[in-house]
Amino acid sequence: MSFKKIGLSICTGQSCSVISKKAQILLVTINKQGRADEHKYMDHWIDDTHFHWQSQNATDPTSKRGDEIIRHAALGIDIHLFVRDTKLAVGKAAPFTYHGRVRYQSHQGSRPMSIVFGLTSGAG
């Protein structure tokens, strides 16, 4: 699948989102060593079926992006989660693991938003 064909890519630090009208794809690197503090988002697994994701610093609940995340199901937008532990593996870009579609559960804060997603199936 070519992400360029489905939408616009927004990347800040070690977290990226690919956005189209019907899908948002979260590309998340857990270990953010060596990144500037403003790009060390607090992304992590809560348990096998819940993931904590921190949005880019400009996102708040009333922004277009924040609102689309909160109301994605009602808007018919699927959110897909890809995660990798580190940016590099053996000197090359590390692959992402696809964990499936996620559903918004809750959020706290603003600029960035701390969002909890539930997997529609267990973590891969």
Side-chain angles (χ1 to χ4, degrees):
M1 172 192 297
S2 172
F3 292 126
K4 291 181 182 178
K5 291 182 181 177
I6 63 171
L8 169 70
S9 178
I10 299 172
C11 298
T12 308
Q14 297 295 309
S15 183
C16 298
S17 301
V18 178
I19 303 168
S20 78
K21 292 184 180 188
K22 293 295 177 186
Q24 294 190 10
I25 298 170
L26 304 178
L27 304 170
V28 182
T29 301
I30 299 293
N31 182 339
K32 296 169 179 62
Q33 288 181 335
R35 303 306 303 178
D37 285 344
E38 65 267 18
H39 299 295
K40 288 186 178 178
Y41 301 108
M42 303 301 294
D43 304 324
H44 59 89
W45 289 102
I46 296 168
D47 57 33
D48 286 346
T49 60
H50 294 89
F51 190 79
H52 176 274
W53 179 75
Q54 207 166 40
S55 73
Q56 286 78 16
N57 291 327
T59 305
D60 69 54
T62 62
S63 68
K64 182 178 187 287
R65 175 89 165 116
D67 182 62
E68 285 180 351
I69 291 170
I70 293 168
R71 297 186 321 115
H72 75 91
L75 296 171
I77 298 170
D78 289 330
I79 300 178
H80 300 268
L81 178 64
F82 291 78
V83 179
R84 65 183 177 185
D85 289 328
T86 59
K87 183 178 180 179
L88 298 174
V90 193
K92 296 182 181 180
F96 288 91
T97 299
Y98 179 59
H99 291 278
R101 290 188 330 213
V102 294
R103 291 184 65 97
Y104 167 87
Q105 302 288 302
S106 65
H107 75 274
Q108 292 183 341
S110 178
R111 296 181 186 263
M113 293 172 60
S114 291
I115 300 167
V116 174
F117 289 109
L119 297 179
T120 57
S121 61

